Amino acid sequence: EPEVTQTPSHQVTQMGQEVILRCVPISNHLYFYWYRQILGQKVEFLVSFYNNEISEKSEIFDDQFSVERPDGSNFTLKIRSTKLEDSAMYFCASTQNQGRINQPQHFGDGTRLSIL
Amino acid sequence: DAKTTQPNSMESNEEEPVHLPCNHSTISGTDYIHWYRQLPSQGPEYVIHGLTSNVNNRMASLAIAEDRKSSTLILHRATLRDAAVYYCILRDPSKNYGQNFVFGPGTRLSVLP
């Protein structure tokens, strides 16, 4: 069964450094998402992306965050200047067709980001 | 946001049925009810979703109350692999489109051998 893959599985970065988290969504999917989960807390929506632009974003997704789909397969989340509170699991998800808006989302297994 | 209420935790014995309840009294008429689960150290995994009628798939069944203010996820025979946090989720009704799930704390299911 096709799956969403995320790399790296664990990223350790110094505070203030830029970090890029990578995701390869399922190949025929058109809608892409990033969520995060701080240790012991709920999964939180960050951003959704369709047709090479942001569809929706949450209050968490401030100017330090950006997303892009640079090559038609990868979907990346960049944090420009990381803060300690950015430490979390980051999950990428994709869905096939937003025309039927209640399609299930397929999640990757996440990247654990640790900010030192 | 439409909210859901689930018990914090439940326990089940292996090979017995499990009924996981969810209350969603503020659900809107077009919201689907989604269930996902999260196994330890993994991302959320789709389980099932429905609108009004009961739904069955290979993983579980979803029983939706007639007034849609509550639903129950049914695992017919729990296995050790079913130990996870189960999330009952409604589509964010403040969005005109998009499927930005609002996750609650979910129900942590423990399965005893």
Side-chain angles (χ1 to χ4, degrees):
Chain A
E1 186 172 322
E3 51 183 36
V4 174
T5 56
Q6 292 186 242
T7 55
S9 56
H10 190 190
Q11 174 77 47
V12 182
T13 301
Q14 291 287 333
M15 186 173 60
Q17 295 296 305
E18 175 183 286
V19 66
I20 297 175
L21 309 182
R22 291 182 167 80
C23 169
V24 179
I26 295 173
S27 62
N28 63 344
H29 284 190
L30 301 176
Y31 294 83
F32 315 111
Y33 308 83
W34 284 101
Y35 292 80
R36 79 171 187 191
Q37 185 174 31
I38 295 171
L39 185 64
Q41 298 187 23
K42 298 182 288 187
V43 177
E44 300 173 289
F45 167 73
L46 293 178
V47 66
S48 60
F49 190 86
Y50 168 69
N51 200 26
N52 284 319
E53 60 183 26
I54 291 173
S55 303
E56 313 276 354
K57 59 182 181 178
S58 72
E59 304 78 30
I60 302 168
F61 194 89
D62 62 21
D63 291 345
Q64 293 300 310
F65 291 87
S66 62
V67 290
E68 65 175 359
R69 196 148 188 257
D71 57 12
S73 61
N74 289 285
F75 177 51
T76 62
L77 174 69
K78 182 195 290 187
I79 309 175
R80 288 189 186 81
S81 178
T82 50
K83 303 187 284 283
L84 293 176
E85 52 265 39
D86 294 327
S87 296
M89 283 291 291
Y90 287 80
F91 295 108
C92 173
S94 68
T95 192
Q96 183 173 29
N97 183 349
Q98 198 70 6
R100 297 181 62 191
I101 61 172
N102 286 288
Q103 290 265 315
Q105 291 185 9
H106 298 259
F107 285 78
D109 280 338
T111 293
R112 179 173 298 284
L113 178 62
S114 299
I115 308 300
L116 304 179
Chain B
D1 294 347
K3 293 191 183 300
T4 63
T5 305
Q6 300 177 252
N8 291 333
S9 62
M10 291 183 65
E11 261 186 13
S12 172
N13 293 318
E14 197 176 9
E15 298 190 2
E16 290 188 356
V18 182
H19 290 233
L20 297 163
C22 180
N23 288 314
H24 30 77
S25 59
T26 60
I27 189 171
S28 73
T30 54
D31 276 343
Y32 276 69
I33 302 155
H34 296 256
W35 282 83
Y36 282 72
R37 70 181 185 181
Q38 188 174 20
L39 279 66
S41 301
Q42 293 189 23
E45 175 187 25
Y46 169 75
V47 178
I48 201 166
H49 75 289
L51 183 63
T52 55
S53 305
N54 295 343
V55 184
N56 300 293
N57 66 19
R58 63 177 177 83
M59 290 181 71
S61 296
L62 176 60
I64 301 172
E66 198 170 329
D67 63 6
R68 299 205 335 120
K69 294 185 176 181
S70 65
S71 61
T72 302
L73 179 71
I74 302 166
L75 307 179
H76 296 285
R77 287 185 68 193
T79 69
L80 296 177
R81 195 196 173 276
D82 291 322
V85 178
Y86 286 78
Y87 300 101
C88 168
I89 304 166
L90 305 181
R91 188 190 68 86
D92 186 345
S94 68
K95 308 297 182 186
N96 289 326
Y97 74 99
Q99 205 173 13
N100 311 312
F101 289 133
V102 179
F103 285 79
T107 296
R108 182 173 299 277
L109 175 67
S110 302
V111 180
L112 306 176

